[in-house]
Amino acid sequence: MEITKKALVIEDEENIAELLQMFLEKDGYVVRIAADGRSGLEQAKSFAPDVILLDIMLPKLDGVQVLKRLREEDGATPVIMLTAKSEPYDKVFALESGADDYITKPFVPKEVIARVHAVSRRTERAADETRNNKILEFDKLLINLDSYVLLVDGKKIETPPKELELLYHLAKAPNRVFTRNQLLDEVWGFDYFGDSRTVDVHIKRLRYKLDGVSDQWTLKTVWSIGYKFETERDASDSDETLI
Ligand code: CA
């Protein structure tokens, strides 16, 4: 499936907005224009753009306020500020306001597109890293160790930190068998004062939350060894990998 990229241009000067729209559409973007700060904010929510080009001097709500609110609500969308030499705002001001980049008016098309590409690459990479490092997704299961959130079938399930860390540790290496002692060392730490029953108790609580949710993964006991997070796909085509 081809993914359409969306750009939102928040700019009250019609000719500049249309010029930007033209450049961006030529580059394959679907573009919307907002002519004031307030409608810009609304469109940022409803249109969910991949990138926002934001003028500073805007009616109703200026660019700085728009950016501030955007960052409060959703920190992820890259924002490029449009600054003008004639206005008392420079690149430092734009970047300190929380913009990802800036473009000085008057601009050349090539530069606009280059900047849009650069911030998109940057945020995509950042998102990938977050996904790879701290968020695991399986059928009806999302483990987010950045914000310590567990979503089961789309619902947030209250889970104590160690329980979530244990689940994350197992799910990060699907189908790998961990011994209780390994889990104690790796999740609780070497100097943790406790025994392997600690692991059993936590697994039991996790099972209570996770059993029967999906047929594509399960928290499995490997008899006399320990535990694994078994996934359907790998279980069928690989032999048991013991440590
Ligand atoms: Ca303006």
Side-chain angles (χ1 to χ4, degrees):
M1 192 179 76
E2 198 181 325
I3 299 161
T4 313
K5 295 248 179 195
K6 297 184 284 184
L8 173 64
V9 175
I10 309 176
E11 165 67 83
D12 58 321
E13 281 160 82
E14 214 175 305
N15 52 347
I16 293 180
E18 280 170 4
L19 207 60
L20 286 169
Q21 179 174 31
M22 202 175 74
F23 300 157
L24 288 161
E25 281 178 351
K26 229 174 171 177
D27 195 56
Y29 278 82
V30 173
V31 182
R32 289 226 187 134
I33 296 173
D36 66 76
R38 201 158 295 151
S39 74
L41 260 186
E42 281 161 17
Q43 293 214 45
K45 273 184 228 164
S46 59
F47 182 51
D50 298 291
V51 62
I52 297 172
L53 278 74
L54 176 66
D55 186 29
I56 295 183
M57 304 286 269
L58 286 167
K60 290 189 186 165
L61 205 61
D62 70 34
V64 176
Q65 291 302 314
V66 171
L67 184 55
K68 204 170 147 234
R69 296 206 195 168
L70 279 172
R71 289 296 183 242
E72 280 165 7
E73 286 161 21
D74 149 44
T77 314
V79 173
I80 299 174
M81 263 197 170
L82 305 173
T83 64
K85 281 203 177 109
S86 57
E87 292 166 0
Y89 304 108
D90 59 9
K91 58 183 181 182
V92 177
F93 177 82
L95 297 175
E96 278 178 352
S97 307
D100 296 270
D101 209 340
Y102 65 94
I103 295 168
T104 312
K105 292 190 259 188
F107 43 74
V108 286
K110 233 167 79 180
E111 195 198 343
V112 174
I113 296 304
R115 302 243 170 202
V116 167
H117 285 176
V119 293
S120 302
R121 268 199 306 276
R122 217 147 58 211
T123 45
E124 272 162 25
R125 207 163 38 229
D128 278 349
E129 274 162 22
T130 310
R131 263 196 296 280
N132 291 341
N133 291 343
K134 295 284 189 175
I135 300 170
L136 299 173
E137 269 188 276
F138 298 90
D139 177 51
K140 297 182 188 169
L141 178 69
L142 189 144
I143 310 160
N144 185 337
L145 214 60
D146 270 331
S147 50
Y148 276 82
V149 166
L150 176 67
L151 291 181
V152 177
D153 208 0
K155 280 196 275 295
K156 197 170 157 181
I157 304 290
E158 285 304 323
T159 309
K162 277 295 167 218
E163 240 177 85
L164 197 67
E165 287 167 19
L166 175 62
L167 177 61
Y168 180 86
H169 200 76
L170 288 163
K172 206 169 77 170
N175 301 311
R176 182 185 148 187
V177 181
F178 292 86
T179 68
R180 290 175 176 82
N181 279 332
Q182 275 180 326
L183 291 170
L184 266 183
D185 287 347
E186 289 162 13
V187 177
W188 277 266
F190 283 102
D191 47 4
Y192 175 74
F193 186 75
D195 60 37
S196 56
R197 273 171 303 180
T198 307
V199 178
D200 297 340
V201 169
H202 281 75
I203 291 279
K204 203 174 154 189
R205 290 193 192 130
L206 280 169
R207 283 220 175 106
Y208 183 73
K209 293 163 183 170
L210 300 173
D211 265 3
V213 170
S214 169
D215 56 4
Q216 291 180 35
W217 50 264
T218 180
L219 264 184
K220 213 159 188 183
T221 306
V222 182
W223 194 73
S224 87
I225 299 176
Y227 298 101
K228 67 173 171 176
F229 183 86
E230 188 177 87
T231 58
E232 186 71 13
R233 185 162 45 93
D234 296 334
S236 56
D237 63 17
S238 75
D239 290 327
E240 200 94 302
T241 317
L242 295 184
I243 348 80

